[in-house]
Amino acid sequence: MMWSVALSRSIGLWATFLFALTLVPSSCSVAGKGLAWLWASERRTPWHEDARHAQRLSSGALPSEGAFVLAQGTARAPLVADPWLHGPEGVALLRVVEMYAWHETLETTTKRRWGGGREIRETLAYARAWTPEPPRSEGFREPDGHVNPPLPFPTIQALPSTLEVGGHRVDATQMPILFWQPVALADLERSGPIEAGRTVDDFTLYLGEGGPDEPAVGDIRVRWYVVPDATEIALLGTWRHDAVHAIDREGWPALIVAWPGDAAALAQVLESADQLARWALRVGCVVALYLALFLLLGPLFVLLDIVPPVGWLARVIVALAATPVVFLVTFVTVEAARWSLHPWIVALGMLVVALAALGWWSAGRAIRREREQR
């Protein structure tokens, strides 16, 4: 019995070791992609700079085809409404339907064993929570006692295909709306399946046997949001075919960037978004470099895990020792990408380095000659 256990663990250890070896080449790919994404991020033109230099649309001459344009003014489009909720209308409407439903979670814990190998334990748990997409009970491992009924009616989003902003036509199909306003439900008439609902606050309609404090599985809550008619917005896009269309930039989804208010408000939001995206990619690069290092040393860690405390200590030491190098590589990549945007500065720097190298070589040659003459 003991021999079979030892043999099984030995086979598992060598299988894990061979698998770790196959991942070693991936370390270079992970590090390279992380640095490439960081380089591209630091070199790209920020969105708020595009907004600052974009041509403002006016009633005068139209911009050239493909130019960045900034439109500002009142948003106009055919009004839409929910047929079951009588009252609120807008150029766009969103009905969010959520159900109190069962959720299945599978927690996996891994414990390293002495002599190599791992012990994996799985814990199955069920909990109830509000969700716009209740999971189907048929997919649960233990469906008995965890049945979710289907949604009685869906979430809907009514968006205009085109709208006018400041008198200029905009292709709204590629304009994400981030400025919804909640609809107050007081004194609004209802019909259809929501007629029996009750309001639990100014903006939420509740349907079901339970209540907001003690909901039952299958209970529904609904909220509505609109973009009111005549909302003042500013947007950034590309001028094509006598209309504002999405900006098609490599590495980004094609979209029109819009925000309520004037151009100054849009520029401020874009500047904050640029800073957030830039720092997110910097952090992502650091994580990619750590991941690449641990993939590279994976086979060594597998062998050290024969004694679990030693494997854990080795990972801590490697992480601490690699931290200065990882941050230095990230910093150098960021600065190199920035300086590469100014070719004349790069050329000047290379010239200075070349002159310094020439001076160092000349000085060394003179010292050697002086020593030979002595």
Side-chain angles (χ1 to χ4, degrees):
M1 181 67 179
M2 295 180 60
W3 283 104
S4 62
V5 172
L7 179 61
S8 175
R9 290 190 176 183
S10 298
I11 294 175
L13 173 64
W14 284 107
T16 306
F17 179 79
L18 293 175
F19 178 71
L21 278 178
T22 62
L23 295 178
V24 169
S26 302
S27 62
C28 297
S29 175
V30 170
K33 288 182 178 180
L35 292 173
W37 290 337
L38 180 62
W39 179 274
S41 170
E42 297 296 331
R43 283 179 54 86
R44 73 171 180 85
T45 303
W47 287 101
H48 70 277
E49 291 292 338
D50 285 337
R52 184 178 302 171
H53 298 101
Q55 183 175 348
R56 295 204 175 204
L57 290 178
S58 62
S59 58
L62 296 179
S64 59
E65 192 78 2
F68 280 128
V69 292
L70 183 66
Q72 175 181 326
T74 302
R76 299 286 188 185
L79 300 182
V80 293
D82 190 323
W84 298 336
L85 188 67
H86 309 294
E89 293 182 327
V91 297
L93 181 136
L94 174 64
R95 180 180 71 200
V96 179
V97 182
E98 294 179 297
M99 175 184 286
Y100 195 67
W102 286 106
H103 292 260
E104 181 184 77
T105 58
L106 182 64
E107 297 182 0
T108 303
T109 57
T110 303
K111 182 180 179 181
R112 294 182 176 87
R113 298 182 299 194
W114 288 79
R118 301 179 181 183
E119 180 181 352
I120 300 176
R121 295 180 179 179
E122 294 183 346
T123 304
L124 189 64
Y126 291 89
R128 293 166 292 182
W130 289 103
T131 175
E133 297 180 358
R136 298 185 61 178
S137 305
E138 294 84 353
F140 289 164
R141 297 192 179 191
E142 297 179 1
D144 293 341
H146 307 110
V147 177
N148 289 328
L151 279 174
F153 47 88
T155 292
I156 62 170
Q157 188 175 28
L159 302 176
S161 58
T162 61
L163 56 81
E164 286 190 356
V165 175
H168 298 280
R169 190 164 55 90
V170 178
D171 178 12
T173 58
Q174 293 178 308
M175 188 182 78
I177 296 180
L178 306 175
F179 40 91
W180 296 102
Q181 294 186 15
V183 174
L185 301 178
D187 302 326
L188 292 182
E189 294 184 5
R190 303 186 297 271
S191 61
I194 67 172
E195 186 175 4
R198 60 189 187 276
T199 55
V200 295
D201 58 40
D202 292 340
F203 307 104
T204 306
L205 186 72
Y206 197 96
L207 298 96
E209 299 178 356
D213 297 328
E214 296 183 359
V217 171
D219 285 2
I220 300 295
R221 65 184 184 187
V222 192
R223 296 185 179 94
W224 285 265
Y225 303 86
V226 298
V227 176
D229 187 29
T231 299
E232 294 289 325
I233 68 172
L235 57 85
L236 178 67
T238 305
W239 186 258
R240 292 195 303 270
H241 309 299
D242 296 329
V244 180
H245 291 267
I247 299 173
D248 191 5
R249 175 181 282 181
E250 184 178 359
W252 291 84
L255 52 81
I256 295 174
V257 185
W259 195 254
D262 57 11
L266 176 62
Q268 186 176 3
V269 170
L270 289 177
E271 187 171 4
S272 300
D274 282 327
Q275 290 291 337
L276 180 62
R278 183 160 290 174
W279 278 104
L281 283 171
R282 289 173 181 174
V283 173
C285 179
V286 170
V287 173
L289 291 178
Y290 273 114
L291 178 60
L293 178 62
F294 276 77
L295 286 175
L296 181 64
L297 299 178
L300 175 61
F301 291 145
V302 170
L303 296 178
L304 294 178
D305 281 339
I306 294 175
V307 182
V310 174
W312 177 85
L313 183 61
R315 287 177 173 83
V316 172
I317 293 174
V318 168
L320 293 176
T323 296
V325 177
V326 167
F327 279 91
L328 178 62
V329 170
T330 303
F331 175 77
V332 169
T333 303
V334 169
E335 293 303 315
R338 288 183 173 182
W339 286 111
S340 68
L341 296 173
H342 308 283
W344 65 274
I345 296 181
V346 177
L348 182 61
M350 294 177 64
L351 179 61
V352 170
V353 171
L355 291 176
L358 180 61
W360 177 80
W361 178 77
S362 300
R365 186 177 181 184
I367 292 173
R368 287 194 298 270
R369 284 183 176 178
E370 184 178 350
R371 289 178 179 175
E372 291 176 357
Q373 289 177 358
R374 291 179 182 177

